[in-house]
Amino acid sequence: MTSTVVTGIGELVTNDATLSVDSPLGLMVDAAVVVTDGTVSWVGPGSQAPAADQRIDLGGRSVVPGFVDSHSHLVFGGDRSVEFAARMAGQEYTGGGIATTVAATRAAGDEELLAHLRALIAEMRAQGTTTVEVKSGYGLNVEDEVRSLRIARQVTTETTFLGAHVVPPEFHDRREDYVRLVIGEMLTACAPHARWADVFCEPASAHAFDGDEARLILTAAATAGLELRVHGNQLSAGPGVQLAVELGAASVDHCTHLTEQDVAALAAAGSSLHLGADGTPAGRGTVATLLPGVEFSTRSPYPDARRLLAAGAVLALATDCNPGSCFSSSMPLMIALAVREMRLTPAEALWAATAGGALALRRTDIGRLTVGARADLTVIDAPSYLHLAYRPGVPLAKALTF
Ligand SMILES: [Zn+2]
């Protein structure tokens, strides 16, 4: 057993809501944390910190739970910076550019894809992210979807089968055949390498899947033992949110265009997610995961986060890091955008980027710094977590390595 006491924490965010009635962040000042074999074994005032084998003094910096990035697409080849430039010059985003990445991913070798993935994971960790979900979805044939998931499994247990990302070009005039492939041979081959299944449900896009197709795919995936998540209501209002809630998905992601019924469904689905004293949710509801980096990078209107919060929905924040609609790996940037563009308070944004992300992945061992949680400590080189939104673009956050 190796223990480390981390002292000199000027402000500690525990996400233990029982510590304060005013904030779900469970703030402590002048705190210390003891880590034993990768798990938090003690949290309390610095003056009462017990002895340990090693000691790290943070000199008054703040510590937050490591960011949980519950939505990313990191296994891919190629580069779409030219498409980004065209979009900034006025071209509309439709999701069609995904085919470019599919071609580059199929052409890339395993080593190349893994090295690129590892570089992106290191980039995330250097910005405070300690858990990341990684989707397939740029293979779109049996062999390359399995390969993508095998590669993703080398860096995270949170792997998601996204064979239903878009209909690949070779199936454009026979969509039903592609859906049949996804729910048949592809699902069978991919399920052993994935925890989750996801569908890009977007009736307004010719590239993505409508409500009936998405229902078919998600139902088949659940039968194969996968848990569900959905890309829903990104480009227009559609059936994604309702479907995700109805099928018990852990999260529906984007939520940019919502009807009153969608908001009500997310509010009902969020009511079972309120955390007990031990950090465990009461039930298995659906989180609304917002991805403001996408709106930023595609110059699109942001989701109405305040409307969702007012209704009672539970929010998570994630990057959606991908080569097309948002090539940012930065959770601090997402927090800053959520505060500045979606009017979350800094506390709401940080909670969504940590505890909210953990709920979106149905994990109780991360997203908080309480006894028994994984020792994912992210140090903010500032006296308070408020600086994450207050100083956008400044590299203040870094995951602590023991
Ligand atoms: Zn995505």
Side-chain angles (χ1 to χ4, degrees), residues 231-374:
H231 282 70
N233 302 54
Q234 176 188 357
L235 303 174
S236 63
V241 165
Q242 301 282 350
L243 198 56
V245 171
E246 181 197 324
L247 298 180
S251 178
V252 55
D253 300 32
H254 288 290
C255 299
T256 309
H257 298 275
L258 300 179
T259 63
E260 278 306 317
Q261 290 90 329
D262 294 331
V263 174
L266 288 168
S271 62
S272 67
L273 288 169
H274 295 289
L275 302 181
D278 60 350
T280 310
R284 289 161 65 86
T286 305
V287 173
T289 299
L290 307 184
L291 310 165
V294 174
E295 281 78 32
F296 179 73
S297 301
T298 58
R299 201 176 275 146
S300 308
Y302 289 88
D304 191 342
R306 290 250 61 96
R307 180 186 180 204
L308 284 165
L309 280 177
V314 171
L315 301 187
L317 278 177
T319 61
D320 197 7
C321 184
N322 77 84
S325 58
C326 175
F327 197 12
S328 172
S329 56
S330 173
M331 287 296 279
L333 175 63
M334 301 311 136
I335 289 170
L337 290 174
V339 172
R340 295 166 64 87
E341 304 295 334
M342 302 196 303
R343 300 178 185 275
L344 293 194
T345 66
E348 288 166 339
L350 176 61
W351 191 93
T354 53
L359 283 172
L361 293 175
R362 293 199 167 135
R363 293 273 296 269
T364 55
D365 60 329
I366 56 175
R368 62 197 175 95
L369 290 173
T370 53
V371 171
R374 212 168 76 172

Side-chain angles (χ1 to χ4, degrees), residues 161 183 187 191 196-198 216-228:
F161 168 49
I183 63 175
L187 174 61
W196 305 95
D198 192 345
L216 204 60
I217 294 162
L218 291 165
T219 307
T223 304
L226 300 181
E227 293 188 81
L228 307 179

Side-chain angles (χ1 to χ4, degrees), residues 142-143 145-146 149-150 161 184-194:
V142 176
E143 182 192 344
E145 282 297 300
V146 171
L149 288 167
R150 275 184 195 279
F161 168 49
E185 191 188 346
M186 194 184 283
L187 174 61
T188 305
C190 286
H193 309 287

